[in-house]
């Protein structure tokens, strides 16, 4: 499932930081853009490990992009493999949100 993640751009001395709006309190970082998807998946795996919580649906990027908390960085859509999560989590039904 594609989730938007916000990238706090790094430089030669700092890793790229990652904020995941759909997973409050879940953060990640990587030195290289190529490493970001694996680092993000690992952080989400750990976030759900041993927890019994629902897997949220992704927030539309157009909603997040206008949020003043997310300025000066970049957005990345990451394909999160929710089937890897090690909890009794259940995906929220789209009909339940309507």
């Amino acid at each position: 499932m594609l989730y938007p993640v916000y990238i706090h751009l790094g430089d030669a001395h700092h890793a790229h930081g990652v904020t995941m709006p759909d997973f409050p309190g879940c953060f990640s970082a990587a030195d290289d853009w190529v490493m970001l998807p694996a680092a993000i998946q690992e952080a989400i795996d750990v976030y759900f490990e041993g927890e019994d919580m629902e897997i949220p649906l992704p927030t539309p990027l157009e909603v997040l992009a206008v949020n003043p908390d997310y300025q000066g960085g970049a957005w990345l859509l990451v394909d999160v493999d929710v089937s890897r999560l090690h909890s009794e989590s259940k995906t929220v039904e789209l009909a339940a949100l309507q």
Side-chain angles (χ1 to χ4, degrees):
M1 189 174 301
L2 288 176
Y3 282 90
V5 298
Y6 184 74
I7 310 300
H8 306 270
L9 302 173
D11 57 31
H13 304 288
H14 302 93
H16 301 297
V18 180
T19 299
M20 301 171 223
D22 293 309
F23 306 100
C26 185
F27 303 96
S28 188
D31 291 327
D32 188 283
W33 281 87
V34 175
M35 298 167 49
L36 283 171
I40 291 165
Q41 179 71 56
E42 181 181 7
I44 293 172
D45 289 347
V46 171
Y47 180 78
F48 278 93
E49 190 172 282
E51 298 293 330
D52 184 23
M53 60 181 131
E54 293 181 342
I55 301 168
L57 290 173
T59 301
L61 185 54
E62 56 270 14
V63 171
L64 296 169
V66 297
N67 185 326
D69 292 338
Y70 304 116
Q71 301 300 313
W75 287 99
L76 179 67
L77 291 175
V78 178
D79 190 10
V80 175
D81 184 356
V82 296
S83 69
R84 291 177 38 158
L85 303 180
H86 305 291
S87 70
E88 298 296 318
S89 302
K90 298 174 185 65
T91 303
V92 175
E93 295 289 330
L94 181 58
L97 295 176
Q98 297 177 354

